[in-house]
Amino acid sequence: MALEKTNLENIDIVQLYKEQKKCSTFKGKNSEDWDKKAKGMNANVHESIYTKKFTQLIDTKGCKTLLDVGCGPGTISIAMAPKLEQVFALDYSTGMLDCLEENCKTKGICNIVPIQNSWESDWEDVPNADIVVASRSMEVQDIEKALKKLISKAKKRVYITTKVGGSFLDKMILDQLERKIYPIPDYIYLVNLLHNMGIYAKVDFIPSENSKFYSKNDEEFIQKVEWSLGKISNEEKIKLKEFFSKEYKQIQDNNLISWALIYWDL
């Protein structure tokens, strides 16, 4: 006797994801955008709350290699390198990979192999690894294709982190803007899609310093908000300047956000 499908399986999660991604206020960045951002992100390559918690949860038992997809300046690759024989660090931004190589030289790390590639490109030459991770790098247009690529390269385990909630800006910042904000699809889309693919993933929540908007002054703060949201009006700039000076500047050191860690064994 065959087990019939549930009505949940009639929901097209992939299509819902694509529709939400298309209408979202937050648009994707190209490699040139990330090249410009690389040096600023590189300044934050250290053992943060997020990095420490994420790497603690990665089970390296019986594993020798790791593929870090969307590695940036090497935040996770560098933290994992001492635990493994080899780490493959993949990113499509040359600026990020330049920072990674410089960080490896500075720290005397010799077992990280940089790979320039993207989610959309052919992964035929991307090596398989025991563990595959995608840390905060899952902002893709075709989520099903991306997940299948990760699975195709993993021999034993996959770990990904993605947004909890549908905004890159916290509520305090959004409250200063008089506009409708259409969210991105958050982690629950991925959990349901994996379920439909026959993968029953575990989910943990990782706290993280919200350093993305940490700013020395109001002009830098506005630039960072525009990076996430796109062009903002003069009226909104005035409100953000006032908000930064009166409130955000004093609390930004203690501002935390959460990321969803989704992981499974193969």
Side-chain angles (χ1 to χ4, degrees):
M1 182 179 294
L3 185 66
E4 294 295 327
K5 291 183 178 181
T6 67
N7 55 4
L8 177 63
E9 293 173 85
N10 294 326
I11 300 173
D12 191 340
I13 301 295
V14 174
Q15 186 59 32
L16 289 177
Y17 176 96
K18 289 179 178 179
E19 290 172 1
Q20 189 62 43
K21 190 76 174 173
K22 185 176 180 179
C23 75
S24 173
T25 304
F26 304 97
K27 303 304 179 185
K29 309 296 183 184
N30 59 37
S31 59
E32 289 77 16
D33 292 327
W34 288 112
D35 286 346
K36 295 173 184 176
K37 195 77 169 175
K39 287 186 178 180
M41 287 182 65
N42 194 44
N44 294 320
V45 175
H46 59 280
E47 194 173 86
S48 64
I49 295 172
Y50 170 87
T51 304
K52 185 176 181 180
K53 182 65 174 177
F54 183 30
T55 54
Q56 282 177 344
L57 289 169
I58 296 176
D59 181 7
T60 59
K61 185 178 179 180
C63 298
K64 296 181 179 180
T65 57
L66 179 145
L67 170 64
D68 182 6
V69 179
C71 65
T75 307
I76 301 301
S77 292
I78 290 169
M80 293 301 297
K83 304 177 182 181
L84 297 157
E85 290 185 6
Q86 194 160 54
V87 173
F88 304 102
L90 183 153
D91 207 289
Y92 72 155
S93 164
T94 55
M96 293 293 184
L97 293 176
D98 288 344
C99 288
L100 167 67
E101 293 195 67
E102 185 60 36
N103 290 331
C104 288
K105 289 179 183 178
T106 301
K107 296 176 181 293
I109 297 172
C110 302
N111 64 333
I112 296 179
V113 179
I115 300 171
Q116 186 167 17
N117 211 316
S118 70
W119 285 109
E120 292 75 25
S121 300
D122 179 12
W123 279 22
E124 185 177 345
D125 294 331
V126 175
N128 289 61
D130 295 320
I131 302 168
V132 172
V133 304
S135 169
R136 301 185 288 196
S137 62
M138 293 294 295
E139 291 304 313
V140 297
Q141 296 300 320
D142 191 332
I143 191 63
E144 184 177 32
K145 184 178 179 181
L147 288 171
K148 287 180 177 179
K149 279 191 167 185
L150 295 178
I151 293 166
S152 74
K153 294 299 174 179
K155 297 177 183 177
K156 295 185 178 181
R157 301 176 189 113
V158 180
Y159 296 81
I160 61 178
T161 51
T162 189
K163 280 291 297 169
V164 176
S167 172
F168 288 109
L169 291 92
D170 61 38
K171 187 176 184 301
M172 290 185 298
I173 299 174
L174 289 176
D175 286 345
Q176 312 307 310
L177 306 170
E178 296 180 0
R179 62 166 81 180
K180 289 183 179 179
I181 304 295
Y182 296 95
I184 58 170
D186 82 340
Y187 81 98
I188 204 66
Y189 286 77
L190 276 69
V191 173
N192 280 282
L193 176 55
L194 286 167
H195 182 276
N196 285 357
M197 293 167 65
I199 295 172
Y200 307 119
K202 299 174 184 176
V203 181
D204 277 309
F205 297 95
I206 301 178
S208 173
E209 305 94 330
N210 195 7
S211 58
K212 184 174 183 178
F213 296 100
Y214 183 88
S215 306
K216 297 177 183 177
N217 53 57
D218 54 16
E219 291 295 335
E220 183 182 354
F221 179 63
I222 289 170
Q223 288 175 5
K224 290 184 175 182
V225 173
E226 282 193 313
W227 164 266
S228 287
L229 196 61
K231 191 169 180 61
I232 58 178
S233 68
N234 290 330
E235 291 79 8
E236 288 174 326
K237 288 180 181 179
I238 292 171
K239 290 182 179 181
L240 287 172
K241 283 185 178 183
E242 184 177 358
F243 167 68
F244 179 81
S245 299
K246 289 185 176 181
E247 296 183 50
Y248 199 78
K249 185 177 181 180
Q250 287 71 41
I251 65 171
Q252 61 181 345
D253 284 327
N254 301 312
N255 194 17
L256 294 177
I257 58 172
S258 290
W259 292 86
L261 169 63
I262 305 168
Y263 59 109
W264 64 96
D265 292 337
L266 297 171

